[in-house]
Amino acid sequence: MTFADLLSCMHWLDWLILLGTLGFIVGYGVWRTRRSGTSNEYLRGGNDNRWWAVGLSVMATQASAITFLSTTGLGYLEGIGFVQFYFGLPLAMLVINRVFIPLYYKWNVFTAYEFIGKRFDGRARMLTAVLFLVQRSLAAGFTIYAPSIILSKVLHWPLAWTCVFIGALVILYTATGGARAVGVTHKQQMAVIFGGLFVVFGMIVWLLRDTISFGESMRLANDLGKLDAIDTSFNPSNRYTLWSGLIGGFFLQLAYFGTDQSQVQRYLSGQNVAQAKRGLWMNALLKIPMQFFILLIGVMVFVFYLFNTAPVHWNSANMVEMAAEAQGRGGIQELNRAPGPSPGVTAKAERARDAAELQAQHAENATTMTNAAISWVAAQRSFKDGSLIVAERELSTALFEDSALREAYRAEVKATLPAAEANDQDYIFITFIMDHMPIGVIGLLLAMIFSAGMSSTSAELSALATTSIVDVVRKERTDGQQVRATKLATLGFGLLALAFAALFPLFENLDPSREYHRFAFLWHPARRFPGGLLPEADRRHGSLRSRLDHPGAHLAAFRSGSMGCLCNGPGRPVGAGFPVVQSPFTRIPDPSCHPTAIDDSFKCIDETKGIGGLISSARNHSGRSSINAPQPCLFCRRLNTGGVYLRRP
């Protein structure tokens, strides 16, 4: 990559801000802690941090680059409900302040596992220390690797360069100053993080100022279910509820902050017990608002893209490769040909052509969505309830089709580019930054993301080195020898983390929530459709507005990248009481169908029209669909690879 290539990725001012910010943090950390010669300074930070420094260091350790890349994407897709995950944090801080911190300071330990050894025996100490080393070594590699995937594709850097860039900077100042360097740099890194968050939030509000006010943005997001913060239901299928946050979150945070050395080391650097306790209370008070604010930024990005065209797929590198596949086949100019397979065309080329058609359909639907959003704003300002209901209905339908088209495109990416990561949630925020932020702000926000990755990785490397020397490789050493041994361990674990980061691409993503092989469509009525509320459907499954972007809200099921046909000809009903809206690729259920419940076999039960369609999986189905489709949809020509079909019960 040449210097001209680097400048083509970003403006020179953004590069200056990014490299200058990171260079200052690293340089200051090295210079400030270059004389950390005692084991107390290098392994425990010198016990000179006041409560606010302890609190910032604890928050910086928990934050990572994925916090900002993934959490904002979660806010965009699902709203702020994830904040419930942290509701158990204050309870965990209460227990740690009352039990853990007094014991750690009383026994004057360097690690949590040293305390276990004194309280029980050496075997328990060794077991817990080794478990921590294995777990946290892998985590350190992942905290380098995960953001590097995204940043390398956006900045057009080789992945190895990005990993080495992050890892080398962290190893440099962490090996130089140890735990003290970690605490010193955490202050600057958190300043950059908070500054970046406030700047990007203000920029979004400013960019929308001529279209929609902040108050109207919140009302629109609320009407679309993005601001549903608390779920008091006991439904185990809901991932984030008040109860899972209070109970599950409590034990998770208790284990992490109470026994994980990367966090224990942070509050052992406090001047005394009182300062350490206040630092954790600061974390308890600020962590939930911070996560709420990050999720709210994701919601604001969602509102922004209601009025501005968004890509059908957030990972631009995948889109470039898909376009290259279509161009290589010579298929872009044939997009308007009649449906059906073309002779001499490979399956991969066919899928690339299909993806291009989906992209065109998404652009058309985006215009419809923007017009509906503008109509909503006009109706809101004119206080016309009738117009508002119509606008909400149109917007909900457009959002529903947007979700379906995105899912179909991801399925095409999965089938056409097997080595590519089809899930694009983590690319939403960075795509928004690169496409819509002004010069200078881009550099600041990238510095924020890099700082978050460095802050968590440095704490992990320091904790790993300290644990390995204090708890595993135990021997009599002088104070100077202890420091030198820990420095070598820091360097070793840094290189090990880079090695893990290099190995991660060899393993396929095993997250079951990111598989596309079996999705079923569920129809949920919108809260404010004509006819009023439908309490039974709302109670059992939530309204459409709260589930538009849920992975289950799709028009078809995908198995190995194939999609079943839901067409039955233009304008003709698919199943009793299940009318459809015309679309070249998908058939959206008409909102005039008001099901009052959906039973466990996915039957749409309408009290006025009887039983609607039944969606069932047809694995390894051969031949054409049993549904008559005189004008087949985009995917009809390859139903022989499996899919989902809409049938009468």
Side-chain angles (χ1 to χ4, degrees):
M1 177 175 288
T2 64
F3 182 72
D5 294 330
L6 291 176
L7 287 180
S8 67
C9 302
M10 288 195 306
H11 193 271
W12 66 265
L13 181 59
D14 292 313
W15 282 112
L16 180 63
I17 293 174
L18 171 61
L19 298 178
T21 301
L22 299 182
F24 171 78
I25 292 174
V26 173
Y28 180 78
V30 171
W31 176 80
R32 186 76 169 74
T33 61
R34 66 191 186 281
R35 294 192 177 93
S36 298
T38 68
S39 59
N40 185 58
E41 289 177 330
Y42 197 88
L43 277 69
R44 203 162 60 176
N47 293 111
D48 59 357
N49 281 338
R50 293 179 58 81
W51 62 269
W52 58 269
V54 172
L56 288 177
S57 192
V58 167
M59 295 176 68
T61 299
Q62 189 177 18
S64 69
I66 292 300
T67 301
F68 302 97
L69 294 172
S70 186
T71 306
T72 48
L74 191 64
Y76 178 99
L77 294 174
E78 300 185 15
I80 63 174
F82 178 66
V83 74
Q84 297 170 104
F85 175 79
Y86 293 92
F87 284 178
L89 179 64
L91 299 177
M93 297 300 100
L94 175 63
V95 174
I96 293 172
N97 278 345
R98 294 293 298 272
V99 179
F100 288 69
I101 289 181
L103 289 174
Y104 288 154
Y105 274 83
K106 177 182 178 180
W107 290 75
N108 193 31
V109 296
F110 284 92
T111 71
Y113 320 111
E114 183 182 3
F115 168 78
I116 290 176
K118 292 181 178 181
R119 178 63 180 82
F120 298 102
D121 58 24
R123 292 174 299 177
R125 177 182 184 180
M126 179 64 72
L127 175 62
T128 53
V130 169
L131 289 175
F132 168 76
L133 291 178
V134 173
Q135 170 197 349
R136 195 50 62 185
S137 295
L138 291 170
F142 186 76
T143 55
I144 293 175
Y145 169 72
S148 297
I149 299 175
I150 300 162
L151 294 171
S152 64
K153 290 187 177 181
V154 172
L155 298 176
H156 306 291
W157 292 3
L159 177 60
W161 289 19
T162 313
C163 290
V164 170
F165 178 73
I166 297 175
L169 291 178
V170 172
I171 292 172
L172 177 60
Y173 70 82
T174 306
T176 300
R180 192 169 176 219
V182 174
V184 167
T185 54
H186 275 171
K187 301 182 184 72
Q188 283 75 38
Q189 287 161 345
M190 286 304 294
V192 174
I193 288 171
F194 281 129
L197 289 176
F198 287 122
V199 167
V200 70
F201 184 82
M203 286 302 304
I204 298 173
V205 175
W206 185 80
L207 289 173
L208 289 171
R209 70 194 186 283
D210 294 332
T211 306
I212 186 172
S213 68
F214 175 68
E216 291 169 337
S217 297
M218 291 296 96
R219 283 191 289 273
L220 178 56
N222 183 63
D223 284 349
L224 295 174
K226 301 298 184 180
L227 299 185
D228 294 339
I230 305 224
D231 182 357
T232 58
S233 70
F234 291 92
N235 188 347
S237 64
N238 294 344
R239 286 193 297 174
Y240 310 119
T241 66
L242 176 64
W243 317 115
S244 65
L246 288 175
I247 300 173
F250 165 74
F251 286 106
L252 181 63
Q253 308 294 350
L254 184 65
Y256 175 58
F257 287 98
T259 64
D260 192 299
Q261 178 60 21
S262 63
Q263 282 293 356
V264 172
Q265 190 179 52
R266 298 299 91 225
Y267 52 77
L268 286 182
S269 66
Q271 291 179 348
N272 49 49
V273 172
Q275 295 294 322
K277 287 183 177 181
R278 291 175 187 171
L280 283 190
W281 279 125
M282 173 184 171
N283 176 59
L285 293 175
L286 293 184
K287 183 61 179 179
I288 295 177
M290 177 181 174
Q291 290 300 128
F292 174 85
F293 192 61
I294 295 172
L295 289 165
L296 186 62
I297 289 174
V299 172
M300 289 300 295
V301 172
F302 167 79
V303 174
F304 176 86
Y305 279 117
L306 291 178
F307 300 93
N308 298 270
T309 302
V312 67
H313 190 71
W314 297 103
N315 187 343
S316 60
N318 285 348
M319 294 187 67
V320 170
E321 292 187 41
M322 293 292 285
E325 288 288 344
Q327 289 281 10
R329 177 186 72 82
I332 289 296
Q333 66 272 23
E334 299 179 14
L335 291 181
N336 295 321
R337 68 170 176 80
S342 298
V345 177
T346 65
K348 180 180 286 190
E350 280 290 328
R351 291 186 183 279
R353 197 287 305 261
D354 295 344
E357 293 185 25
L358 285 169
Q359 186 175 355
Q361 175 68 6
H362 178 269
E364 180 181 345
N365 184 68
T367 302
T368 302
M369 188 164 59
T370 298
N371 293 335
I374 293 173
S375 298
W376 184 94
V377 174
Q380 182 73 29
R381 293 175 178 176
S382 62
F383 302 101
K384 295 180 179 179
D385 290 340
S387 300
L388 189 63
I389 292 173
V390 172
E392 283 184 7
R393 177 176 173 178
E394 293 174 352
L395 184 57
S396 297
T397 303
L399 284 167
F400 196 88
E401 185 164 3
D402 178 84
S403 178
L405 292 170
R406 289 182 183 279
E407 197 61 64
Y409 193 94
R410 280 192 288 269
E412 293 300 321
V413 171
K414 187 84 170 175
T416 309
L417 309 171
E421 173 55 69
N423 188 288
D424 57 345
Q425 171 183 322
D426 296 340
Y427 292 85
I428 296 175
F429 186 54
I430 192 68
T431 299
F432 170 75
I433 290 173
M434 301 302 293
D435 290 349
H436 298 285
M437 289 292 98
I439 294 173
V441 175
I442 294 176
L444 172 64
L445 296 180
L446 289 178
M448 175 190 74
I449 295 171
F450 274 107
S451 294
M454 292 164 58
S455 66
S456 57
T457 305
S458 63
E460 289 169 336
L461 295 184
S462 180
L464 286 167
T466 301
T467 301
S468 64
I469 298 302
V470 172
D471 298 304
V472 178
V473 190
R474 301 194 301 269
K475 58 183 294 186
E476 291 295 328
R477 301 184 183 91
T478 65
D479 204 56
Q481 290 174 336
Q482 187 87 331
V483 171
R484 285 193 294 272
T486 311
K487 284 187 177 183
L488 290 175
T490 303
L491 177 61
F493 278 107
L495 296 177
L496 182 62
L498 287 175
F500 282 140
L503 290 175
F504 283 137
L506 302 179
F507 297 92
E508 189 174 345
N509 181 16
L510 301 179
D511 181 2
S513 68
R514 295 188 175 188
E515 293 294 327
Y516 301 99
H517 65 278
R518 194 175 184 183
F519 283 174
F521 161 69
L522 297 178
W523 172 244
H524 302 282
R527 174 173 292 182
R528 299 185 65 178
F529 279 175
L533 296 178
L534 301 173
E536 176 63 15
D538 228 33
R539 179 177 67 82
R540 292 189 59 186
H541 296 283
S543 62
L544 170 64
R545 72 181 189 89
S546 66
R547 298 176 66 87
L548 286 172
D549 299 301
H550 190 275
H554 307 298
L555 298 175
F558 298 94
R559 182 175 181 271
S560 302
S562 297
M563 178 175 174
C565 176
L566 298 182
C567 302
N568 198 31
R572 296 169 59 184
V574 182
F578 216 85
V580 296
V581 178
Q582 293 189 43
S583 171
F585 312 129
T586 58
R587 297 295 184 239
I588 312 296
D590 192 329
S592 63
C593 174
H594 289 160
T596 55
I598 300 174
D599 70 9
D600 294 336
S601 61
F602 303 119
K603 293 179 181 178
C604 169
I605 302 174
D606 190 304
E607 61 184 359
T608 61
K609 300 181 181 180
I611 298 179
L614 170 64
I615 293 181
S616 60
S617 180
R619 302 181 68 175
N620 301 319
H621 182 80
S622 61
R624 295 186 59 81
S625 168
S626 60
I627 298 176
N628 180 29
Q631 295 189 18
C633 75
L634 172 66
F635 300 96
C636 291
R637 56 181 175 272
R638 45 184 173 79
L639 286 176
N640 58 337
T641 56
V644 164
Y645 306 91
L646 191 63
R647 301 173 178 173
R648 293 180 185 273

